[in-house]
Amino acid sequence: MTEEARWWQTPVEYIKGVGPRRAELLRLEAGIHTAGDLISHFPYRHLDRSRIDLAAELREGQAFAQLKGRLTNIRWVERGPHRRLSATLTDRSGTVELTWFQGLKFIRQSLVEGAEYLVFGRPVKLGYTFSLAHPEMERTTVGGPVRRLGLMPLYSTTEKMKKAGLDSKGLEAIIRRLLDALPFTFSETLSPDVVASARLISRHEALRQAHFPDSQESLMAAVRRLKFEELFFLRLQLLRLNLGRKQEKPGIEVVRVNRLVKEFYENHLPFRLTGAQIRVLREIREDMATGRQMSRLLQGDVGSGKTMVALLAMLSVVDAGFQACLMAPTEILAQQHYFALEALLRPLRVPVALLTGSTSRSARQEILPALAEGRLPIITGTHALLEEEVRFHNLALAVIDEQHRFGVAQRGRMWQKNDIPPHILIMTATPIPRTLALTVYGDLDVSLLDELPPGRKPVITRLLKETQRRELTALVRTELEKGRQVYWVFPLIEESEKLDYTPLVRGFEEVQKEFPGWEAAMLHGRMTPGEKEQVMQRFATGQAQILVATTVIEVGVNVPNASVMVIEHAERFGLAQLHQLRGRVGRGAEQSFCFLVASPGLSREGLQRLQIMSQTQDGFRLAEEDLRLRGSGDVEGTRQSGNVRLRIADLSRDLDILQEADACARAVLAGDPFLVSPLHEPLRRTLHTLRQAESFWKNIA
Ligand code: ADP
Ligand code: MG
C-alpha cells in the first residue's frame, strides 16, 4: 500500500482533534470512518464572509447575514419564568436585535457595551426589526475584521455531533488541520487524456479547493472536477459491465424468417409504421439475431406506439419457432393487451392467451400445458406469468410493459424461465431523461421511440380554479355532445395507511347529477378484477361516456374516442403522473382537452408545476422539470432500480456533467476497451480500488 492509500484508510480516532468519543459520533451519525471519508465530507455550501450586510437591507428569508456595528443596550428581558439576554447592534444603516436564551452568564460576561463587533447569524423578522438569535460574535480591531474571511465552508452535522463540538466550525477546524498537515500530494485518479479533454483541475487541487476555496471560480472548478470524477467512474464501470455482459451471456439466436411478420405487415397492419417504430424494430431484431442476450429498454412517450413494436418483435420470435410473452403491471392493462393482440393476430391464426391472478382454474389447466408443450406461442398477463408453475417450451422474448412497476428482482425471475435466458425488452413511457436512464439502467441498451404517429394534435391543457367549475362543466358538456368520452380522475387520499375513497365516490355522484343524460362509470383499485374488466369494457365500447376513476387508469389505457381528461386536485400529482394521465387522451384524430382543477390555497411550487404542464407536452422536458423540482430520488423508475447514491454529484442537477462524463468514458473505452494502454494506468488503478471498496457496489442496484 502506498503512503497515500494508508493515509486515506486512517481511522478517524487517530486524526488530530478527534479522539475516541468524537470518532464514535462521526461513525454513527455521519458514516465517517476514515481520513478519506472525512475529506470526502464536502461542505453543502459556502458562505461568502467577505461580504458585510447592512441592517437596513436585510431581507426576509435570507439564510445568513453578516453585519458590522456597535453593540449597545445589553439588557435582561424577563418573559414569565424565562429570562433572556438582548442587545442592539447599530451600523450606518440601522439596527438589529441580538438575543440569547442559553449560556447567558458566560455570554453576558464576554460582551462589551459600546464595542464594535462582526456578527453573523440567521436574521428573523420580528415586527419592524430583524433579530439574530445566538449569533457568532467577533470583536473587530479598528478599521476591519481581525482576520480575512473568505468563503466559509458549511458542513452538515447533527444535534449529537454539535453537542460534542462537531458543529460546522468544529468539522472545519479538523479538516483544515488534516489538509494542512498532508505529507504528500493527492495522486491523480483520471488519466491525462481525460483531464485534458474535460478541462479539469488536478485532484489534489480540487480536494483542497472544494473545502477551502480561494475564490468562487476555484470552488466551481473544484466541485466540477469532483463530480465529474464520480460520474465518470460510475459510467466507466457500467459501460464495462455492459461490454462484459455482451461477451459472456449467450442468448437465443432468433434467425429471421419473416413469414408471419411479412403477412401481417402486408395485409393486416392497420396503419403505416412511424420512422421511429421501423428503426427501433430493426434494432431489436438485429439484437436478437446475434446469439447474445438482448437487454433493451424501449423508451417512448405516451402514445408513441410501443404496443405495435412489441407485437412485431413477438411475431419475429414466433416466426423463428419460439415463444414470446408480454407482461403488464396491472390487470386492466394485461386485459387490454390481450384484446388488442387477439384481434390483430386472429387473421394470422396465431393463438394468444391471457394469464392473470384472476384467471380461472379451468382456464389455467388449459393454458399451462399448452405453454409448456409449445402449442401456445404468445401469452400476455401480469406478474402471474412469473409464478413457479408457469413453464415455457422455449421462451425467447419477454416484453415487459411499463417496467417501473416491476422490480429488478422480478426482471431476474424472468431470466430463469429457460436454460438460456430469453431476450428482454422493457417498455416504458416514463420519460426518464436519457442520461439518467443510462445511469439507472446501466446494464441495458436503450432504444428511443422519439416520434409520435402522424396527425396527433397537441392536447389543449388548461388550469382551472375551483371557482371556474361552471365553465368546466360547460366545456365537458360540449365535448360529450360531440360524442366524445371523458375521463374524470380523483386522487386517492392516504389516511394513516388506509386509502380514502370518499372524494372519488362523491365526485362520481356529482358527475352523475351534473350530466344526467350520459352514462357514468366508476373505476378504482379496490374492485375485483372482474368488476374492473366490466367497467373498462363498458367505457371502451362507448356504453359509458364518462369514466370516474382513480389513477388505476394512469398507465397504458387506450380508448381513442376519449378526448377529455379532467384531473381533480391536480396539484397532488407529480408531473410524470400528470403526463401519464394526460397521455390517455389525444390518441385519436380529434382535438383533445386536459383540464387541471387546482384546489384552493395552491402553493407556489404547485402552481409552477401545473403551469409547466400547460406549457409543454414534451415528456422529456417534463421529466427534467420534475427532476429539477423534486430531485432524482423521486423520479419514477429510479426508486425500484435502487437509487445510485453519490457523494458529491446530484443526478437531478448535474445532468450536463453526467453527459460529459459519459461521453468521455465512451471515448476512452472505444479506443482502449480493456484499459491496457499505459496512459490509462490511473483508470485501471482507480477501478481496482473501487472494486475493493464494496460499498460502491452496494449503492448500485
Ligand atoms: P404507447 O406507446 O403509449 O403504449 P400505444 O401502443 O397504446 O402507445 O399506441 C397508441 C395509439 O396509437 C394506439 O391507438 C395505436 O393503435 C396507435 N398507433 C400506434 N402506432 C401507430 C402508427 N404508426 N400510426 C398511427 N397510429 C398508431
Ligand atoms: Mg402502452
Side-chain angles (χ1 to χ4, degrees):
M1 239 205 282
T2 61
E3 181 188 13
E4 179 182 356
R6 259 198 313 278
W7 179 91
W8 199 263
Q9 296 299 334
T10 313
V12 269
E13 51 259 59
Y14 302 133
I15 294 172
K16 240 200 170 96
V18 179
R21 199 169 65 93
R22 289 172 151 197
E24 180 81 356
L25 279 172
L26 284 172
R27 277 193 297 266
L28 292 177
E29 296 279 301
I32 297 172
H33 297 259
T34 62
D37 290 340
L38 198 55
I39 293 305
S40 312
H41 188 68
F42 297 108
Y44 60 90
R45 53 174 287 212
H46 286 81
L47 266 176
D48 188 355
R49 299 223 33 197
S50 57
R51 226 189 92 110
I52 307 280
D53 296 294
L54 288 176
E57 287 170 8
L58 293 179
R59 283 169 289 105
E60 237 169 314
Q62 190 172 333
F64 292 98
Q66 178 165 248
L67 300 133
K68 197 165 78 172
R70 200 155 295 282
L71 193 73
T72 54
N73 199 14
I74 304 173
R75 62 201 184 273
W76 294 104
V77 181
E78 310 278 343
R79 263 288 148 77
H82 301 290
R83 200 160 78 121
R84 63 185 160 91
L85 186 64
S86 280
T88 305
L89 188 85
T90 309
D91 67 11
R92 62 186 160 83
S93 74
T95 65
V96 295
E97 290 302 303
L98 310 178
T99 53
W100 294 267
F101 307 96
Q102 281 166 4
L104 300 181
K105 237 195 205 141
F106 173 75
I107 290 164
R108 177 65 193 88
Q109 279 164 15
S110 66
L111 296 177
V112 180
E113 176 91 23
E116 192 188 56
Y117 280 87
L118 189 68
V119 167
F120 176 78
R122 182 187 296 272
V124 175
K125 191 152 190 178
L126 290 178
Y128 292 105
T129 50
F130 279 91
S131 152
L132 277 62
H134 282 268
E136 269 176 38
M137 307 279 294
E138 201 163 345
R139 283 282 296 276
T140 63
T141 52
V142 183
V146 271
R147 62 187 162 99
R148 230 185 91 241
L149 294 163
L151 291 167
M152 185 181 95
L154 294 179
Y155 295 95
S156 58
T157 70
T158 65
E159 280 311 311
K160 281 189 190 157
M161 285 165 73
K162 279 184 197 159
K163 285 205 183 106
L166 292 170
D167 56 358
S168 183
K169 270 251 141 84
L171 286 167
E172 178 186 345
I174 293 168
I175 294 171
R176 193 185 286 277
R177 207 174 310 144
L178 191 60
L179 282 174
D180 284 348
L182 200 68
F184 53 83
T185 313
F186 287 118
S187 62
E188 192 46 76
T189 48
L190 293 168
S191 49
D193 52 338
V194 174
V195 172
S197 85
R199 299 167 319 278
L200 301 169
I201 63 170
S202 78
R203 178 156 171 273
H204 180 76
E205 193 59 18
L207 283 171
R208 182 164 185 101
Q209 293 291 324
H211 291 278
F212 310 114
D214 294 332
S215 66
Q216 203 67 47
E217 290 70 44
S218 57
L219 173 63
M220 276 160 60
V223 169
R224 177 167 167 274
R225 147 79 213 212
L226 295 170
K227 288 179 169 180
F228 183 96
E229 171 175 346
E230 189 166 44
L231 295 170
F232 175 84
F233 281 108
L234 179 67
R235 288 304 301 144
L236 195 65
Q237 304 224 30
L238 292 170
L239 287 167
R240 292 191 79 215
L241 200 68
N242 209 6
L243 281 177
R245 176 175 62 75
K246 286 204 166 144
Q247 275 146 11
E248 283 156 26
K249 279 250 165 61
I252 296 163
E253 194 176 328
V254 178
V255 289
R256 296 219 193 179
V257 176
N258 269 353
R259 189 178 62 84
L260 293 166
V261 169
K262 190 155 174 281
E263 194 195 331
F264 182 78
Y265 208 93
E266 284 171 2
N267 303 321
H268 307 291
L269 193 67
F271 35 66
R272 286 182 52 167
L273 295 183
T274 64
Q277 281 170 320
I278 292 170
R279 173 171 46 77
V280 165
L281 262 167
R282 195 171 52 226
E283 286 168 3
I284 292 169
R285 295 182 56 174
E286 276 171 8
D287 218 4
M288 292 195 300
T290 57
R292 294 180 305 247
Q293 191 209 10
M294 171 177 81
S295 283
R296 189 168 280 278
L297 177 71
L298 171 57
Q299 274 195 299
D301 210 343
V302 284
S304 58
K306 293 184 290 295
T307 318
M308 189 48 73
V309 172
L311 173 74
L312 284 164
M314 290 197 290
L315 268 187
S316 326
V317 162
V318 176
D319 258 341
F322 297 101
Q323 291 171 300
C325 71
L326 170 55
M327 191 157 60
T330 64
E331 294 249 359
I332 292 182
L333 258 191
Q335 277 159 12
Q336 182 182 290
H337 280 322
Y338 171 70
F339 291 128
L341 291 181
E342 207 273 329
L344 287 165
L345 294 175
R346 200 179 304 138
L348 300 177
R349 279 184 296 278
V350 174
V352 194
L354 172 69
L355 188 78
T356 70
S358 57
T359 303
S360 70
R361 276 231 72 79
S362 59
R364 265 177 185 257
Q365 273 160 12
E366 276 184 38
I367 292 170
L368 295 180
L371 211 54
E373 288 155 25
R375 284 180 280 121
L376 187 58
I378 295 182
I379 188 161
T380 175
T382 55
H383 318 48
L385 291 172
L386 296 173
E387 283 162 21
E388 198 54 51
E389 61 168 358
V390 179
R391 301 231 169 74
F392 289 85
H393 176 62
N394 58 6
L395 179 68
L397 172 64
V399 184
I400 302 177
D401 195 9
E402 311 295 355
Q403 188 264 349
H404 56 274
R405 302 282 168 103
F406 281 106
V408 172
Q410 284 166 321
R411 230 210 281 165
R413 258 156 76 189
M414 208 68 240
W415 290 28
Q416 289 150 23
K417 291 275 167 193
N418 272 347
D419 299 335
I420 302 180
H423 301 294
I424 303 273
L425 179 67
I426 292 165
M427 307 199 294
T428 179
T430 307
I432 302 163
R434 188 183 168 80
T435 40
L436 185 54
L438 285 172
T439 300
V440 174
Y441 301 106
D443 60 332
L444 301 179
D445 292 313
V446 179
S447 283
L448 204 58
L449 265 187
D450 50 3
E451 183 183 347
L452 292 180
R456 295 272 168 84
K457 294 194 185 75
V459 179
I460 295 176
T461 304
R462 283 195 55 194
L463 180 53
L464 296 171
K465 292 202 211 85
E466 197 52 50
T467 48
Q468 292 166 290
R469 199 159 276 281
R470 274 257 186 79
E471 195 182 340
L472 172 67
T473 312
L475 287 163
V476 171
R477 183 167 290 121
T478 312
E479 291 307 301
L480 284 168
E481 278 164 358
K482 288 189 211 153
R484 303 283 107 75
Q485 288 166 277
V486 178
Y487 293 102
W488 209 301
V489 176
F490 287 83
L492 268 186
I493 321 270
E494 233 171 303
E495 261 186 299
S496 57
E497 293 180 21
K498 191 170 101 250
L499 292 179
D500 183 5
Y501 282 85
T502 333
L504 178 75
V505 175
R506 279 222 198 98
F508 178 61
E509 286 162 2
E510 294 277 313
V511 165
Q512 279 181 315
K513 229 175 30 213
E514 214 43 81
F515 304 98
W518 284 278
E519 179 81 25
M522 181 164 65
L523 186 72
H524 58 74
R526 213 188 270 164
M527 297 160 80
T528 68
E531 290 169 338
K532 280 191 224 164
E533 183 184 347
Q534 250 184 351
V535 171
M536 262 334 280
Q537 278 301 98
R538 262 176 63 215
F539 188 66
T541 54
Q543 284 165 275
Q545 295 85 43
I546 308 174
L547 185 66
V548 179
T550 59
T551 51
V552 285
I553 60 151
E554 181 189 333
V555 184
V557 168
N558 185 35
V559 179
N561 188 49
S563 67
V564 179
M565 169 63 68
V566 181
I567 305 175
E568 300 277 355
H569 303 288
E571 74 285 348
R572 297 209 183 153
F573 298 93
L575 278 180
Q577 216 177 2
L578 289 172
H579 181 64
Q580 280 288 332
L581 286 169
R582 181 169 59 187
R584 299 310 109 214
V585 297
R587 305 190 142 233
E590 313 307 328
Q591 176 61 58
S592 294
F593 300 88
C594 176
F595 300 118
L596 306 170
V597 186
S599 316
L602 183 65
S603 74
R604 226 189 22 201
E605 192 261 345
L607 179 67
Q608 214 184 344
R609 206 143 30 91
L610 297 184
Q611 277 168 343
I612 295 168
M613 272 307 287
S614 42
Q615 283 157 13
T616 183
Q617 318 254 343
D618 179 345
F620 284 81
R621 162 109 205 268
L622 285 168
E624 302 206 336
E625 289 292 339
D626 214 19
L627 202 57
R628 199 174 55 75
L629 289 172
R630 306 199 297 169
S632 58
D634 277 335
V635 172
E636 290 278 358
T638 60
R639 236 167 293 154
Q640 272 97 341
S641 347
N643 249 320
V644 181
R645 287 229 348 253
L646 297 165
R647 271 184 194 272
I648 184 166
D650 173 352
L651 290 173
S652 64
R653 304 232 175 81
D654 302 324
L655 282 176
D656 49 340
I657 303 180
L658 175 60
Q659 230 145 14
E660 218 183 329
D662 177 60
C664 255
R666 281 172 195 271
V668 165
L669 288 178
D672 182 13
F674 302 103
L675 303 178
V676 289
S677 146
L679 182 70
H680 293 141
E681 194 277 328
L683 302 182
R684 231 169 24 244
R685 182 166 34 80
T686 311
L687 281 177
H688 181 73
T689 320
L690 286 172
R691 253 196 307 278
Q692 285 182 327
E694 219 203 346
S695 65
F696 183 85
W697 287 104
K698 275 200 304 245
N699 292 335
I700 298 176

